[in-house]
Amino acid sequence: NAGVTQTPKFQVLKTGQSMTLQCAQDMNHEYMSWYRQDPGMGLRLIHYSVGAGITDQGEVPNGYNVSRSTTEDFPLRLLSAAPSQTSVYFCASSSRQGVYSPLHFGNGTRLTVT
Amino acid sequence: GENVEQHPSTLSVQEGDSAVIKCTYSDSASNYFPWYKQELGKRPQLIIDIRSNVGEKKDQRIAVTLNKTAKHFSLHITETQPEDSAVYFCALTSSGTYKYIFGTGTRLKVLA
């Protein structure tokens, strides 16, 4: 199993551009989520999904959209990139078979907005 | 919403000494408390976790303790080694929400 796969690994955008960060998992996990990691801020939840067709907002959802059309994929869309969105983005998934299911993280996407 | 406070933000110890990181939370419904280790440039990885019906759990040199009454849980690393140097995050979630909330992280440096 590949686990959680994120693409791209690095991305540079200009202010106002849009793009989609891809996330795919092959563990048949129901729960998927996106975090951003900034120095001194830890991991902050952007959006999450508990199954196909179901999404909800986390702590910092503004400027980001998500959709969950399949169990495997959970893309994160930046509608109009801003320098404040410069960060490292992690996708993570877990099983809903029990609440005691740890998160499995992808390798991250480092995004720079100039 | 739920909040997790993690202390200290940085911690330096001599090799062989112990390290303790503490997290405090507010929502009494929280019932699962994992700890993650993140090495430089890598993804966070689970190192140990504890459920709300357990007070302590050990795995070789690492242990986690939970005090539900005081709403805090701690990571203990004994006999620290240079390879323990990393950023450590506490996290929590509760039944039914599946939202994981993370602390702000502790940068541990083990000095040889």
Side-chain angles (χ1 to χ4, degrees):
Chain A
N1 288 348
V4 180
T5 302
Q6 288 184 239
T7 56
K9 292 183 179 180
F10 302 94
Q11 183 70 50
V12 179
L13 292 177
K14 295 185 187 302
T15 298
Q17 287 184 317
S18 63
M19 79 157 294
T20 299
L21 278 63
Q22 301 292 344
C23 176
Q25 53 90 10
D26 60 0
M27 298 173 283
N28 202 31
H29 283 171
E30 299 88 347
Y31 178 86
M32 296 185 74
S33 54
W34 278 100
Y35 290 86
R36 59 176 290 172
Q37 183 173 30
D38 303 293
M41 302 291 287
L43 292 153
R44 291 185 292 169
L45 182 63
I46 304 172
H47 286 285
Y48 66 100
S49 169
V50 297
I54 305 169
T55 64
D56 206 347
Q57 296 181 351
E59 304 167 83
V60 288
N62 292 340
Y64 308 95
N65 274 0
V66 292
S67 61
R68 184 94 179 271
S69 56
T70 66
T71 299
E72 294 78 19
D73 301 297
F74 191 45
L76 178 71
R77 297 184 189 85
L78 280 69
L79 308 174
S80 178
S84 61
Q85 293 179 305
T86 293
S87 188
V88 179
Y89 292 84
F90 286 99
C91 178
S93 72
S94 71
S95 169
R96 285 192 70 188
Q97 293 303 309
V99 69
Y100 311 119
S101 299
L103 284 176
H104 298 260
F105 283 86
N107 285 325
T109 295
R110 184 174 296 274
L111 175 67
T112 302
V113 183
T114 62
Chain B
E2 177 57 274
N3 186 44
V4 184
E5 291 192 7
Q6 182 172 346
H7 296 284
S9 57
T10 61
L11 179 61
S12 293
V13 299
Q14 289 295 131
E15 183 177 0
D17 287 350
S18 296
V20 180
I21 303 168
K22 182 178 178 179
C23 286
T24 305
Y25 62 99
S26 56
D27 187 356
S28 57
S30 301
N31 58 2
Y32 177 57
F33 308 89
W35 285 88
Y36 287 81
K37 175 183 180 181
Q38 186 180 30
E39 297 177 346
L40 190 62
K42 302 287 184 65
R43 60 185 166 184
Q45 294 196 299
L46 179 74
I47 55 172
I48 196 167
D49 55 10
I50 193 167
R51 307 177 184 185
S52 60
N53 59 350
V54 176
E56 183 177 3
K57 182 177 178 181
K58 288 183 180 179
D59 183 3
Q60 298 183 341
R61 295 187 298 108
I62 61 173
V64 56
T65 58
L66 171 64
N67 184 325
K68 287 192 297 181
T69 303
K71 296 192 182 69
H72 64 73
F73 56 111
S74 299
L75 177 70
H76 305 255
I77 306 174
T78 59
E79 301 174 18
T80 53
Q81 300 168 4
E83 53 264 38
D84 294 329
S85 295
V87 178
Y88 293 81
F89 292 97
C90 65
L92 56 79
T93 187
S94 59
S95 303
T97 68
Y98 297 97
K99 286 171 59 176
Y100 284 79
I101 303 300
F102 283 79
T104 50
T106 297
R107 183 174 299 278
L108 174 65
K109 296 181 183 178
V110 179
L111 307 172

